[in-house]
Amino acid sequence: MLKTVHLYHTNDLHSHFENWPKIAHYVNEQRVLHHQNKEEMILVDIGDHADRFHPITEATKGQVNVELLNQLNYDAVTIGNNEGITFSHEDLNMLYKEAKFPVIASNLYTEMGEHPEWIVPYHFITLEDGLKIALLGVTVFYEKFYELLGWRIKDPFQSLVETVNKVKEEADVIILLSHLGISDDEIIAEEFPDIDIIVGGHTHHVLQDGVVIGHSLVAGAGKYGQYVGKVTLTIDTIENKLVDKAATLLKIHDHQESCKETETFLLDAQLKSEEILSQKVAELTEEFVVDWFNDSNFPQLLVKAVNEWCKGEVAMLNAGLLLESLPKGPITKKDLHRICPHPINPCKVYLKGDVLKEVIIQARTEKMEHLKLKGLGFRGKVMGRMVFDGIEVETDYLKDGHKLLTKIHINGQELDPERTYAVATIDMFTLGPIYPEISHAKKKEFFMPELLRDVLAWKLGKIPSQI
């Protein structure tokens, strides 16, 4: 005899709550339908539900995100990097205090080598006919960042070897909640034949019908709540075994109805968040203006602040990190969150002079200044001009109108191509594709958990005496 089990999954909402009321209505609707048809349903989230770019998540330290998951009766979640490394150690420890679901992440530990009390390495769901489904979870291996926040993270592949071996004799079906990205999911599908279904996130991949690799079905539902994923499991109830599996995605925009209770809850959360973020951080006696493509005083203030915070010799960051200017008068946490919403930390990298020169040349190209970036923590629109502290550049214009960088001085001295410089900047530049020279630096120091807006608040709080 065959029966059907319906697995629904979300991932990488990144606090885009505008889609959540429709998701809530759809999930509740499906739950009623499956109950009427005497079918069983499982609901999971694959992480990065919370993103501090949104004022609700910022003000409530992610507590509203957890309540939204509670309201829809999620069966399990794993964490993404936005939960794991953008909240302080204390805030992450408290994030799931009120959760009514297990948080599964087998590769995250305390500094003592134990799983924190709010995490389990795996979780069993037993269906009405006795079939046992093992849910596993792993999150992305950002070792250095977790270490700086007081956590230990293990290689997810090593962790999976251990957890799969623990559950495979007892489990009839194994499902992995993977916040690793599509490339790692594909490798896992090849190397772990005991895993039946891999539901993924992190790289925001959209797999309309899933992909079968070896024995595993790999699924992914994009980002921002644009889709809800569904995996249909066909079970042979006599032999208690999975005989078929199929994936599909629902484009939530096409699902027109919204849950009114969820809309009301979010509106109330927005009002409460604005009240929390209304705390004053500074009183400005002058306006700080941002111009993404020309010299302006606000980016210059920020780059000086980062240099002081990191104790660098020089500093560099892009003007597009600041989304708006700041007027004279009182400045609140809400203002700083609005103009600098990125979950980005300051850092310090050590670069040889010849490498630093190449980065500066690349940074000052028109292509880089107008780059529209999505991801890596950046929540702005365009990179904008690279702004320096302690670095002076001289340029000339060619006949065709293009700029040519002619000289670089470091704190008044001509750049020495053989000397190593301590460069204060942002962790986004260490993550890979924008400036490979920075990402390949052997020595890097990260300053956590403070985000750029925290450093900015610190600097503004020193006005007017020390600026």
Side-chain angles (χ1 to χ4, degrees):
M1 185 174 178
L2 301 180
K3 67 176 282 186
T4 302
V5 177
H6 304 274
L7 171 71
Y8 292 87
H9 57 96
T10 54
N11 62 274
D12 296 279
L13 183 77
H14 286 280
S15 294
H16 279 260
F17 298 127
E18 64 272 15
N19 291 319
W20 195 256
K22 288 187 176 183
I23 292 174
H25 184 274
Y26 173 71
V27 167
N28 288 330
E29 185 180 63
Q30 295 306 300
R31 196 181 297 279
V32 170
L33 177 64
H34 294 315
H35 180 73
Q36 290 172 346
N37 293 335
K38 297 183 179 180
E39 297 172 333
E40 292 177 80
M41 168 180 163
I42 299 170
L43 179 61
V44 296
D45 185 80
I46 319 301
D48 276 4
H49 191 283
D51 191 318
R52 291 179 61 185
F53 100 93
H54 199 290
I56 289 177
T57 301
E58 175 76 355
T60 67
K61 300 179 179 179
Q63 298 297 324
V64 164
N65 295 79
V66 172
E67 178 55 28
L68 289 170
L69 295 166
N70 281 340
Q71 290 172 4
L72 285 188
N73 297 310
Y74 269 73
D75 292 286
V77 309
T78 193
I79 69 167
N81 46 290
N82 273 270
E83 287 92 6
I85 62 174
T86 72
F87 290 102
S88 69
H89 186 103
E90 180 183 1
D91 290 342
L92 181 56
N93 249 342
M94 296 298 294
L95 178 59
Y96 297 101
K97 184 179 180 181
E98 302 299 325
K100 298 176 182 177
F101 47 80
V103 181
I104 310 171
S106 61
N107 62 326
L108 184 65
Y109 296 84
T110 68
E111 289 184 310
M112 302 302 293
E114 303 168 340
H115 289 297
E117 61 181 15
W118 48 272
I119 268 184
V120 294
Y122 52 85
H123 175 69
F124 282 104
I125 293 178
T126 303
L127 303 184
E128 291 177 359
D129 57 9
L131 182 132
K132 295 190 76 170
I133 296 177
L135 297 179
L136 314 184
V138 284
T139 195
V140 65
F141 185 55
Y142 287 156
E143 184 175 21
K144 186 64 176 178
F145 296 135
Y146 276 105
E147 180 184 310
L148 287 168
L149 290 168
W151 303 105
R152 285 174 53 194
I153 192 157
K154 190 173 185 177
D155 181 281
F157 288 84
Q158 290 181 341
S159 183
L160 279 175
V161 170
E162 297 169 3
T163 51
V164 169
N165 285 336
K166 285 180 181 177
V167 305
K168 68 181 182 180
E169 296 303 321
E170 188 176 350
D172 300 303
V173 179
I174 299 177
I175 299 172
L176 172 64
L177 315 185
S178 166
H179 196 89
L180 301 182
I182 184 61
S183 296
D184 281 355
D185 289 352
E186 291 171 346
I187 295 170
I188 290 169
E190 294 280 3
E191 296 187 358
F192 292 87
D194 292 306
I195 297 177
D196 299 288
I197 298 162
I198 301 170
V199 189
H202 184 53
T203 47
H204 303 173
H205 44 286
V206 177
L207 303 178
Q208 180 61 48
D209 301 307
V211 178
V212 176
I213 301 175
H215 174 73
S216 300
L217 174 64
V218 180
K223 63 180 180 180
Y224 303 165
Q226 295 167 351
Y227 299 92
V228 172
K230 179 181 178 182
V231 178
T232 304
L233 293 76
T234 304
I235 308 295
D236 182 333
T237 57
I238 296 175
E239 296 191 14
N240 255 6
K241 97 177 176 180
L242 179 67
V243 294
D244 196 18
K245 53 209 173 191
T248 188
L249 296 179
L250 172 86
K251 194 171 185 179
I252 207 67
H253 179 72
D254 298 334
H255 189 78
Q256 297 299 320
E257 293 187 69
S258 293
C259 174
K260 300 305 178 186
E261 291 84 356
T262 302
E263 288 182 339
T264 300
F265 174 80
L266 284 169
L267 179 60
D268 183 57
Q270 181 72 36
L271 295 173
K272 290 178 180 177
S273 298
E274 290 179 0
E275 183 178 348
I276 293 170
L277 296 177
S278 65
Q279 180 183 339
K280 179 179 170 181
V281 296
E283 182 82 31
L284 300 186
T285 57
E286 63 176 305
E287 181 182 13
F288 283 94
V289 177
V290 58
D291 184 322
W292 292 337
F293 306 110
N294 297 288
D295 291 337
S296 51
N297 65 344
F298 197 9
Q300 198 60 53
L301 174 78
L302 179 59
V303 75
K304 278 184 171 293
V306 168
N307 205 11
E308 292 175 19
W309 188 267
C310 298
K311 295 181 172 58
E313 291 180 82
V314 297
M316 56 189 297
L317 52 79
N318 52 301
L321 289 163
L322 297 170
L323 306 190
E324 299 175 24
S325 302
L326 280 182
K328 289 192 293 184
I331 301 300
T332 65
K333 286 187 174 181
K334 180 182 176 183
D335 295 321
L336 296 187
H337 183 269
R338 185 183 68 254
I339 59 98
C340 193
H342 329 278
I344 290 175
N345 304 95
C347 72
K348 185 163 59 177
V349 297
Y350 292 82
L351 302 176
K352 270 188 67 182
D354 57 347
V355 175
L356 178 58
K357 179 181 178 180
E358 290 303 313
V359 172
I360 293 170
I361 291 172
Q362 182 186 355
R364 277 298 177 93
T365 61
E366 186 175 348
K367 178 181 177 182
M368 185 59 73
E369 290 183 359
H370 287 82
L371 178 66
K372 295 180 179 179
L373 179 68
K374 296 292 183 184
L376 302 177
F378 187 69
R379 303 294 185 256
K381 296 180 179 180
V382 65
M383 285 285 285
R385 186 177 214 185
M386 186 65 80
V387 181
F388 305 111
D389 185 46
I391 299 174
E392 296 178 359
V393 298
E394 295 181 21
T395 56
D396 199 359
Y397 285 88
L398 302 176
K399 291 181 180 180
D400 59 6
H402 285 85
K403 288 186 294 186
L404 176 66
L405 194 149
T406 56
K407 287 185 180 179
I408 301 174
H409 286 86
I410 306 294
N411 292 318
Q413 302 292 320
E414 191 169 342
L415 180 144
D416 181 350
E418 296 302 317
R419 188 187 158 199
T420 297
Y421 295 93
V423 183
T425 186
I426 51 178
D427 63 357
M428 179 179 82
F429 292 158
T430 71
L431 298 178
I434 308 174
Y435 296 109
E437 298 88 348
I438 294 178
S439 69
H440 295 153
K442 292 182 179 179
K443 186 176 180 182
K444 308 181 185 81
E445 296 177 27
F446 297 93
F447 295 79
M448 303 175 76
E450 293 83 8
L451 303 180
L452 277 184
R453 56 181 170 270
D454 299 316
V455 176
L456 186 56
W458 165 78
K459 184 67 172 175
L460 291 172
K462 297 165 71 175
I463 291 176
S465 58
Q466 297 182 34
I467 291 182

